[in-house]
Amino acid sequence: MALLVKSNLQLRNALANLGDKVALVPTMGALHQGHISLIKLARSKVGEDGCVVVSDFVNPTQFNEEDDFSKYPRDIKSDFLVATTAGANILWTPGVKDIYPNSEIELIDAGYLGEVLEGKDRPGHFSGVVTVVSRLFELVMPKVAVFGQKDLQQVLVIKNFIRENKIPVNLAIAPTIREDSGVALSSRNNNLSENERDLARKIPIALAQGYDAAISGARIVDIREAVRDALTHPEIKIHYVELLNDQLETINNDHGWLLVAVSIGNTRLIDNSFIPLGIRN
Ligand code: AMP
């Protein structure tokens, strides 16, 4: 049976006696096929008799702009349907007081991994992410938590937080789900006009060009240039194109991640691709 759970007490009751059979999929709602793939991966980790909890919480501490936070799409009815159809047992929609009971919120520092790339352009964002994830872990105590590769820096920040604090949670990473056009699914895509959607197609094309350049032995500077060239358009603002290792540091003859962030109109979009072979600096 599927449950819609709101308060911490309801959550505790719903999870009583489940032991290590709980998987958590943290989300901010507006669920789409990307989230569905995370829910399915969570199910595969805990089995049919396990419990998949999808948290649906628009976390105020990870937004830098009040406007962005208040405009974030919220539709719990639709999320409940999507989550439970995908196989979730519980959709958990806590209120701010459930997650942050004290008026003074103690933010956790996300360290270097949280300061570069997205963190540089959105100061405090990853501190908010780690803080909320830590609270979600405390309240659900999952055996497994599932995150998407789409938000690679988030994955690396959380991985580091789990390791440093010896938190007994296994991370499972789900591959990025894309539209037929190649554009990574994101709730932010809903903010794009038709013309902007067309422009967004340049992102996966640019990543593919970078990948091809890497495979044919290009150096990092030329790989980045190939990606930038493919993104060049008066209506696309490039925030960064980087090729970095798992610690988000410069690569030296190693595999790595090609990471891109752009704004099209008022919408910021990120994407990434894994380059599996040794890249020359
Ligand atoms: P969000 O609701 O945007 O905070 O995302 C919740 C989780 O879904 C995060 O772990 C994201 O990385 C993941 N996610 C978002 N979009 C996608 C996608 N297109 N494919 C796979 N996972 C995704």
Side-chain angles (χ1 to χ4, degrees), residues 25-29 31-35 37-38 62 72 146-151 154-155 174-178 184-187:
V25 181
T27 82
M28 297 206 297
L31 301 183
H32 52 60
Q33 288 295 333
H35 301 113
S37 81
L38 268 58
Q62 71 189 70
Y72 203 87
V146 185
F147 294 86
Q149 184 199 312
K150 157 82 172 37
D151 297 284
Q154 171 168 280
V155 167
T176 303
I177 303 296
R178 299 175 180 280
L185 286 179
S186 163
S187 24

Side-chain angles (χ1 to χ4, degrees), residues 189-221:
N189 296 355
N190 297 330
N191 301 333
L192 298 170
S193 68
E194 211 162 304
N195 174 48
E196 290 172 342
R197 260 177 190 270
D198 278 347
L199 289 175
R201 291 166 172 238
K202 286 182 178 286
I203 302 170
I205 292 171
L207 286 175
Q209 303 238 341
Y211 186 91
D212 290 347
I215 297 289
S216 43
R219 306 185 87 92
I220 290 179
V221 43

